[in-house]
């Protein structure tokens, strides 16, 4: 079987890998610059306002990268769960994305430290210590939203994600040497339990990390919303990575047009799924029209955020929906690379829309610049993590028993 | 080929094309490419399972079907949006939970459904159309060998209607292509007429379905002197007495039996007890008499009205205690109170019952708070928190300039202020005008609590100098 595998170039250029330290430095500097911009853009009377903006910006851009990795982790597990053959040649890239999760755990530390050791409530308004005259609805949630219990939960979420990501990467890597098919069977067996734990941790993680920035508000579909956005951005990142690798002369024969079409179909599907979930959440709250539920949307319908909302409807749903509908577009690598970049941009807008709008957070040009700089910083860090993770690792699982299937795979008309 | 023709009967059917048989899909794919490269376009392949790459090997052009789907989907979207906008905002504007008439978010689910519906139906029917379906028979079926196309053989077909079709050349090409068998398919010369027995069956079925209709039609247009045919005699004539008829079984000759004095049927307490009604039903007739004079209505068959009313009061614990508190009210005012309200009530054609004039519940702080809560939850949206008929719903309706919207009554109207508590309770229970009854939402105690709260509101908004407690009067007057 192995003889059927075309002899592709599977390792990254050494030049790229050398960039990693530079990228880490650039990323950290960008994040710090963003902190400075936020600090001085806030009013001089109330310096915590700037810090508040920075932490929101940090969280949004942090989740931007984290969501791609979480999407990758789910993709790896669900391919094993479904015993999918077609994806064998692109799964390694997803495994590598997911395996950057330990570093993302590290980058959550600033927020965790802030929650544990301060009680200013700059990011999570519930984190102000007891008896601070919170609204009754928030007060009643304080037994759950409590710094130590919050920390414990976050540790559990990251533990689940990191253990899964590590298992799937390490085992797949072992198979590169041994070609042992038992490994595939073992990973298949583990995928079910891990997906259940993943679903729970992603949902509650979304509630804790993101939704509790507005603790009075609640939406049971919030975790699913983040999941939809994660999968969508992951497929965009996957398409873009494949495209870049092929541009640089890697995996030219192992990833075929058929794979592009299927990755694009998944991306298309999750564009629709995102629209469905986002609209479902809105429709129910709009219909019910209950103040405690609609307040979240009210924040998003003033101070210019209403245009961001309309932009999301257009750019996160309608335009890419129509744009990637055609088979001819999906089989065109350059076109799909464009749409992948497009999706990755609107994904940022989506996270900004989820986390930033709040009455205590002003909107100014300086702030927008700060968010963009923070975004650049996080993405640079993401690139650095990815390149470090890849190292000498081949970007395709060369001895995966499904690989011949993946190469012979055809989508059909 | 020509000698082949000569052997058969003179009316040799026209050639329909050539069919080649292969043992595996790779031979089929190779042959398909050859045929395609020879320029034939009216070709087809028949395989037991989907063969990857057969489209490309046969040179089949991408289908236009997706365009049908796209256009139908877009039509569905447009139709759904226009339809809902027209129905909800133009043709029959109606306030639904205070939303604007053209509520686009509410239109989206229906729009989604219609888009999918139009798209799906069009795809199916366009697919059938593009494939020339439904078609009951095809000449290729005449060859029994072809049955193996669903089992273990792969077939390649070149149609005689192809632009470049040349029977000998095609045969040669297919034989060269590694086929294990090449055969000419001829037009199906079996009779095209539908078999007689099918026509007969269909005709018979149609006739049979006409029979019930014909019978009904006949019955409706004819007269008969004979009596009805009783299928189940003992169901049509049961050994029982119908209501409102006579019997010899009882001394009074009535079939319907009155309740035993001193009892109340299950669930009927609410029909007879002033606590539930807001008025004393036993007094109704007396008050109504002047309105409906000469009314032959039988007031009661009971031998002793008063006795029964007393018994009813004692029969149930809760209302009995309520009754006790309002006893004083019930005894005297029945005659005194209607005098005041009667002219208004009669003028408006309103019921003129013996309204309770005092609250059958103890007017305490707890009841007041209950009334406040229920009023603010149920009544304030229309009547306003102050009771002036200026609730949010009303404000919104007035802003929309709805011609048919009547502003809710102000509870501080002179008319309402003069109403006895029982009358207000009655309105809450049964509704009035555009206002629906609240019997389903509020328990009797809650309704009385609301009455208490309404009274308190009226008192608070129409306070007089003597309402101010002793000793604080001067301070109040000073500024």
């Amino acid at each position: 079987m192995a003889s059927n595998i075309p002899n592709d170039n599977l390792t990254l250029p050494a030049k790229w890998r050398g960039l990693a330290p530079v990228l880490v430095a650039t990323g950290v500097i960008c994040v710090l610059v963003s902190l400075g911009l936020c600090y001085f853009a806030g009013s001089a009377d109330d310096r915590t306002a700037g810090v508040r903006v920075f932490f929101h910006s940090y969280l949004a851009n942090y989740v931007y990268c984290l969501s791609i990795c979480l999407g990758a982790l789910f993709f790896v597990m669900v391919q094993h769960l479904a015993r999918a053959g077609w994806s064998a040649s692109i799964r390694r890239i997803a495994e590598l994305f997911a395996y950057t999760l330990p570093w993302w755990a590290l980058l959550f530390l600033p927020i965790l430290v802030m929650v544990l050791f301060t009680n200013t409530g700059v990011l999570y308004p519930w984190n102000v210590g007891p008896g601070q005259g919170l609204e009754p609805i928030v007060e009643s949630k304080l037994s759950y939203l409590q710094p130590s219990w919050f920390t414990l939960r976050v540790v559990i979420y990251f533990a689940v994600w990191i253990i899964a990501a590590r298992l799937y990467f390490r085992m797949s890597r072992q198979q590169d040497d041994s070609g042992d098919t038992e490994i595939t069977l073992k990973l298949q067996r583990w995928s079910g339990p891990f997906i259940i734990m993943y679903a729970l941790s992603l949902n509650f993680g979304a509630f804790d990390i993101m939704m509790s920035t507005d603790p009075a508000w609640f939406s049971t579909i919030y975790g699913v919303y983040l999941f939809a956005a994660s999968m969508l951005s992951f497929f965009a990142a996957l398409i873009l990575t494949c495209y870049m690798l092929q541009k640089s002369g890697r995996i030219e024969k192992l990833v075929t047009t058929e794979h592009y079409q299927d990755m694009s179909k998944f991306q298309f599907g999750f564009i629709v799924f995102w629209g469905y979930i986002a609209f479902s959440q809105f429709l129910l709250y709009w219909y019910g029209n209950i103040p405690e539920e609609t307040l979240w949307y009210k924040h998003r319908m003033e101070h210019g955020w209403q245009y961001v909302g309309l932009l999301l409807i257009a750019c996160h749903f309608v335009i890419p929906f129509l744009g990637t509908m055609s088979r001819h577009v999906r089989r065109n690598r350059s076109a799909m690379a464009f749409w992948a970049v497009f999706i990755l941009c609107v994904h940022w807008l989506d996270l900004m829309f989820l986390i930033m709008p709040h009455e205590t957070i002003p909107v100014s040009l300086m702030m927008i610049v700060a968010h963009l700089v923070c975004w650049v910083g996080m993405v640079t860090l993401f690139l650095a993590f990815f390149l470090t993770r890849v190292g000498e690792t081949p970007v395709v699982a060369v001895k995966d028993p499904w690989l011949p299937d993946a190469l012979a795979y055809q989508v059909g008309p | 080929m020509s000698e082949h023709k000569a052997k058969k009967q003179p009316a040799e059917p026209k050639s329909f094309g050539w069919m080649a048989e292969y043992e595996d899909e790779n031979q089929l794919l190779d042959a398909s490419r050859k045929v395609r490269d020879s320029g034939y376009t009216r070709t087809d392949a028949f395989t037991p399972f989907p063969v990857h790459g057969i489209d490309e090997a046969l040179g089949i052009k991408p289908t236009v079907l997706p365009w049908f789907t796209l256009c139908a989907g877009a039509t569905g979207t447009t139709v759904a949006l226009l339809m809902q906008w027209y129905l909800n905002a133009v043709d029959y504007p109606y306030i639904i939970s205070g939303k604007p008439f053209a509520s686009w978010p509410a239109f989206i689910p229906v729009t989604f459904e219609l888009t999918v519906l139009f798209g799906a139906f069009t795809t199916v029917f366009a697919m059938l159309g593009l494939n020339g379906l439904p078609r009951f028979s095809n000449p290729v079926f005449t060859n029994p060998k072809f049955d193996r196309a669903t089992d273990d053989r792969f077939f390649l077909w070149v149609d005689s209607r192809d632009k470049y079709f040349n029977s000998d050349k095609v045969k040669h090409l297919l034989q060269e292509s590694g086929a294990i068998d090449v055969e000419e398919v001829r037009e199906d010369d079996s009779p095209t007429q539908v078999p007689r027995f099918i026509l007969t069956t269909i005709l018979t079925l149609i006739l049979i379905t006409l029979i019930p209709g014909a019978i009904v039609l006949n019955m409706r247009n004819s007269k008969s002197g004979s009596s009805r045919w009783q299928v189940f005699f003992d169901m049509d004539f049961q050994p029982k007495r119908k209501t409102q008829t006579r019997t010899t079984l009882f001394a009074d000759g009535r079939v319907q039996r009155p309740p035993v004095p001193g009892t109340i049927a299950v669930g009927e307490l609410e029909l007879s007890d002033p606590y539930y009604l807001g008025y004393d039903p036993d007094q109704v007739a007396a008050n109504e008499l002047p309105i409906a004079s000469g009314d032959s209505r039988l007031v009661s068959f009971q031998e002793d009205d008063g006795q029964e009313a007393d018994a009813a009061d004692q029969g149930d614990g809760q209302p009995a205690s309520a009754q006790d508190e309002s006893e004083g009210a019930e005894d005297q005012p029945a005659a005194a109170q209607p005098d005041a309200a009667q002219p208004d009530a009669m003028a408006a054609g309103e019921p003129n019952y013996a309204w309770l004039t005092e609250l059958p519940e103890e007017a305490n702080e707890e009841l007041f708070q209950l009334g406040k809560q229920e009023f603010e939850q149920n009544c304030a949206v229309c009547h306003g928190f102050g009771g002036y008929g200026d609730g949010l719903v009303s404000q919104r309706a007035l802003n929309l300039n709805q011609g048919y919207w009547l502003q809710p009554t102000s509870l501080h109207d002179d008319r309402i202020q003069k109403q006895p508590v029982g009358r207000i309770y009655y309105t809450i229970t049964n509704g009035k005008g555009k206002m629906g009854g609240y019997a389903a939402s509020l328990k009797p105690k809650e309704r009385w609590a609301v009455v208490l709260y309404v009274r308190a509101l009226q008192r608070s908004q129409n306070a007089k100098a003597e309402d101010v407690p002793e000793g604080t009067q001067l301070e109040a007057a000073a500024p």
Side-chain angles (χ1 to χ4, degrees):
Chain A
M1 271 192 168
S3 58
N4 291 339
I5 310 296
N7 205 5
D8 257 351
N9 190 350
L10 296 180
T11 45
L12 289 188
K15 199 170 61 179
W16 288 19
R17 273 175 276 141
L19 282 175
V22 185
L23 290 175
V24 171
T26 319
V28 171
I29 290 169
C30 281
V31 173
L32 290 178
V33 166
S34 150
L35 172 61
L37 283 173
C38 287
Y39 190 76
F40 292 109
S43 71
D45 317 330
D46 181 16
R47 281 296 172 209
T48 54
V51 179
R52 177 178 289 125
V53 176
F54 170 72
F55 267 109
H56 280 81
S57 180
Y58 183 88
L59 181 71
N61 288 301
Y62 170 82
V63 174
Y64 176 82
C65 298
L66 182 75
S67 62
I68 294 174
C69 300
L70 289 177
L73 180 59
F74 182 78
F75 177 76
V76 173
M77 294 192 294
V78 88
Q79 296 308 306
H80 279 296
L81 187 72
R83 298 186 181 168
W86 71 274
S87 58
S89 62
I90 51 172
R91 211 183 52 233
R92 172 56 57 78
I93 298 170
E95 287 167 2
L96 286 164
F97 276 148
Y99 201 36
T100 59
L101 275 166
W103 276 307
W104 293 112
L106 198 68
L107 281 186
F108 195 69
L109 279 182
I111 294 177
L112 217 50
V113 167
M114 190 262 304
V115 169
L116 270 180
F117 298 109
T118 71
N119 54 6
T120 49
V122 285
L123 179 57
Y124 300 116
W126 46 265
N127 185 29
V128 288
Q132 288 298 310
L134 290 166
E135 302 164 66
I137 191 167
V138 181
E139 195 83 49
S140 63
K141 293 177 183 178
L142 279 188
S143 53
Y144 185 77
L145 295 172
Q146 185 201 83
S148 50
W149 178 212
F150 174 87
T151 309
L152 183 64
R153 288 197 306 269
V154 170
V155 168
I156 293 171
Y157 306 146
F158 273 105
V160 169
W161 298 337
I162 290 171
I163 289 170
R166 202 179 144 87
L167 174 80
Y168 279 88
F169 178 75
R170 286 284 171 92
M171 296 300 267
S172 170
R173 198 73 184 89
Q174 271 181 31
Q175 203 177 39
D176 280 357
D177 300 326
S178 64
D180 185 4
T181 49
E182 273 300 314
I183 289 178
T184 301
L185 293 174
K186 186 185 170 190
L187 292 178
Q188 281 172 4
R189 273 196 297 277
W190 273 106
S191 54
F194 264 122
I195 280 184
I196 294 172
M197 286 190 281
Y198 170 91
L200 290 171
S201 57
L202 180 80
N203 259 291
F204 285 94
F207 295 160
D208 282 343
I209 298 172
M210 295 167 72
M211 201 165 85
S212 77
T213 55
D214 193 347
W217 186 74
F218 50 90
S219 164
T220 48
I221 212 169
Y222 199 85
V224 184
Y225 186 110
L226 178 68
F227 171 72
S230 297
M231 294 311 290
L232 179 57
S233 56
F234 158 69
F235 280 111
L238 183 64
I239 292 169
L240 194 62
T241 312
C242 288
Y243 181 76
M244 300 295 276
L245 285 172
Q246 293 198 323
K247 273 268 159 183
S248 72
R250 270 77 196 161
I251 54 171
E252 277 172 324
K253 295 178 212 108
L254 283 167
V255 177
T256 65
T257 305
E258 313 297 328
H259 292 114
Y260 274 91
Q261 188 181 351
D262 265 13
M263 290 188 280
S264 310
K265 273 197 273 189
F266 263 118
Q267 184 185 297
F268 178 78
F270 276 99
I271 288 169
V272 180
F273 187 60
W274 178 91
Y276 174 72
I277 295 300
F279 178 72
S280 300
Q281 179 177 291
F282 174 75
L283 182 70
L284 293 193
Y285 286 165
W286 173 84
Y287 244 127
N289 205 11
I290 298 170
E292 64 204 48
E293 290 175 352
T294 49
L295 184 63
W296 191 82
Y297 279 108
K298 185 174 181 297
H299 292 322
R300 280 148 187 82
M301 285 181 178
E302 54 194 15
H303 304 311
W305 285 109
Q306 64 271 44
Y307 305 113
V308 178
L310 293 174
L311 202 64
L312 276 178
I313 297 174
C315 295
H316 210 302
F317 177 65
V318 179
I319 293 172
F321 173 79
L322 296 173
T324 60
M325 193 185 255
S326 163
R327 180 175 192 260
H328 305 288
V329 174
R330 290 180 195 163
R331 294 178 78 87
N332 182 331
R333 298 177 193 200
S334 313
M336 281 322 293
F338 164 77
W339 283 112
V341 173
F342 186 90
I343 291 292
L344 287 173
C345 291
V346 289
H347 178 49
W348 182 75
L349 210 59
D350 184 26
L351 280 171
M352 282 285 142
F353 187 73
L354 281 184
I355 292 175
M356 298 307 298
H358 200 267
E359 58 206 347
T360 60
I361 298 178
V363 181
S364 67
L365 188 63
M366 190 85 134
M367 295 289 179
I368 295 170
V369 174
H371 300 328
L372 285 169
V373 171
C374 191
W375 182 31
V376 171
M378 280 291 177
V379 172
T380 317
L381 284 173
F382 190 16
L383 270 180
F385 294 162
F386 181 69
L387 290 176
T388 316
R389 249 334 163 212
V390 179
E392 298 285 336
T393 313
V395 289
V396 173
V398 276
K399 290 201 179 156
D400 193 298
W402 288 114
L403 196 55
D405 281 35
L407 294 175
Y409 173 70
Q410 281 194 329
V411 174
Chain B
M1 155 94 197
S2 51
E3 57 176 2
H4 185 68
K5 213 173 194 172
K7 265 187 221 164
K8 294 220 168 175
Q9 64 228 77
E12 175 74 57
K14 238 174 75 201
S15 171
F16 193 61
W18 281 91
M19 179 75 84
E21 187 179 348
Y22 301 91
E23 273 188 315
D24 68 45
E25 75 271 25
N26 293 323
Q27 290 175 352
L28 174 76
L29 283 169
D30 288 342
S32 301
R33 287 192 196 100
K34 267 186 203 151
V35 170
R36 175 196 67 194
D37 294 343
S38 308
Y40 297 105
T41 49
R42 290 198 77 137
T43 53
D44 208 347
F46 306 93
T47 60
F49 55 80
V51 174
H52 278 318
I54 194 76
D55 293 71
E56 180 263 329
L58 276 174
I60 295 173
K61 284 191 204 135
T63 170
V64 296
L65 191 59
W67 290 104
F68 281 92
T69 313
L70 181 68
C71 293
T75 312
T77 311
T78 319
V79 166
L81 286 175
L82 283 178
M83 176 187 77
Q84 291 176 89
W85 167 78
Y86 174 75
L87 294 181
N88 288 303
V90 180
D91 189 39
Y92 200 82
Y94 197 84
I95 302 180
I96 297 166
S97 47
K99 307 278 193 235
F101 296 133
S103 284
W104 298 101
F107 296 171
I108 299 292
V110 173
T111 308
F112 169 77
E113 297 296 340
L114 275 200
T115 306
V116 173
L117 185 80
F118 278 46
F121 270 120
T122 308
T123 309
V124 170
F125 290 115
M127 182 274 290
L128 292 178
L130 290 172
N131 282 316
L133 293 172
R135 183 173 177 177
F136 296 110
S137 177
N138 190 307
V140 299
F141 296 154
T142 53
N143 187 344
K145 279 186 184 172
F146 184 69
D147 292 354
R148 291 180 76 177
T150 61
D151 187 5
D152 60 349
R153 282 287 195 270
F154 300 80
F155 292 88
L156 183 59
W157 158 255
V158 181
D159 199 300
S160 64
R161 288 166 294 180
D162 194 283
K163 241 193 296 181
Y164 306 111
F165 186 79
N166 177 314
S167 197
D168 294 327
K169 277 189 186 166
V170 170
K171 182 185 179 189
H172 187 68
L173 178 70
L174 290 177
Q175 275 166 345
E176 293 287 287
S177 69
I180 52 172
D181 188 34
V182 176
E183 274 193 42
E184 184 167 31
V185 178
R186 302 203 163 271
E187 290 280 10
D188 196 348
D189 60 350
S190 56
T192 54
Q193 221 173 356
V194 182
R196 178 63 56 89
F197 82 92
I198 293 182
L199 288 179
T200 325
T201 313
I202 292 174
L203 203 66
T204 316
L205 284 176
I206 292 174
L207 287 176
I208 288 173
T209 55
L210 288 178
I211 292 174
I215 292 174
V216 169
L217 213 64
N218 176 45
M219 292 297 191
R220 290 184 67 89
N221 290 299
S222 61
K223 291 195 173 93
S224 166
S226 56
S227 64
R228 210 175 116 217
W229 179 39
Q230 307 293 347
V231 186
F232 300 108
F233 190 84
D234 56 349
M235 276 185 83
D236 290 336
F237 301 100
Q238 294 173 11
K240 68 170 188 188
R241 286 279 146 203
K242 300 225 162 140
T243 51
Q244 311 289 358
T245 56
R246 304 189 128 267
T247 178
T248 52
L249 211 59
F250 298 105
D252 62 3
R254 288 190 295 155
V255 166
Q256 287 160 292
R257 305 312 301 158
V260 177
T263 59
I264 291 177
V266 172
E268 294 210 335
L269 178 65
E270 298 183 12
L271 298 178
S272 61
D273 193 285
Y275 181 79
Y276 293 97
L277 295 169
Y279 58 88
D280 188 349
D282 296 332
Q283 306 264 1
V284 171
N287 286 329
E288 277 194 350
L289 278 176
I291 307 167
S293 57
D295 190 349
S296 61
R297 177 182 150 171
L298 289 173
V299 173
S300 172
F301 287 116
Q302 265 140 251
E303 290 148 309
D304 188 346
D305 288 350
Q307 213 179 50
E308 200 237 349
D310 286 349
D313 290 345
Q314 281 145 23
D316 191 282
Q318 195 232 346
S321 59
Q323 208 69 31
D324 291 339
E325 281 146 26
S326 59
E327 213 154 302
E330 265 184 52
D331 289 345
Q332 311 139 8
Q337 169 265 323
D339 286 328
Q342 215 159 334
D344 290 345
M346 281 172 72
E350 290 197 347
N352 182 28
Y353 298 148
W355 304 116
L356 297 196
T357 50
E358 274 182 39
L359 218 54
E361 286 275 351
E362 192 194 338
N364 54 21
E365 179 68 18
E366 191 195 340
L367 191 73
F368 174 80
Q369 289 301 338
L370 177 66
K372 181 171 176 352
Q373 179 188 328
E374 298 302 339
F375 181 86
E376 287 174 356
Q377 283 175 5
N378 294 285
C379 319
V381 285
C382 286
H383 285 288
F385 284 91
Y388 285 99
D390 57 353
L392 283 173
V393 169
S394 178
Q395 287 178 27
R396 168 131 185 92
L398 291 173
N399 286 344
L400 289 171
N401 285 322
Q402 296 260 300
Y404 46 79
W405 179 259
L406 286 176
Q407 191 169 2
T409 308
S410 165
L411 302 177
H412 308 296
D413 265 9
D414 208 32
R415 182 168 62 87
I416 309 291
Q417 294 222 43
K418 277 187 190 148
Q419 279 182 351
V421 287
R423 179 71 186 90
I424 298 177
Y425 177 90
Y426 182 85
T427 307
I428 297 173
T429 308
N430 300 300
K432 181 150 191 325
K434 209 168 173 111
M435 168 182 160
Y438 279 76
S441 334
L442 298 174
K443 296 191 188 84
K445 184 178 179 183
E446 291 167 340
R447 278 176 252 157
W448 283 117
V450 172
V451 173
L452 172 66
Y453 185 71
V454 168
R455 274 283 182 260
L457 267 183
Q458 290 171 341
R459 185 85 180 272
S460 73
Q461 301 298 310
N462 305 282
K464 298 182 193 78
E466 54 265 31
D467 290 331
V468 180
E470 286 291 334
T472 53
Q473 281 169 332
L474 276 177
E475 290 169 40

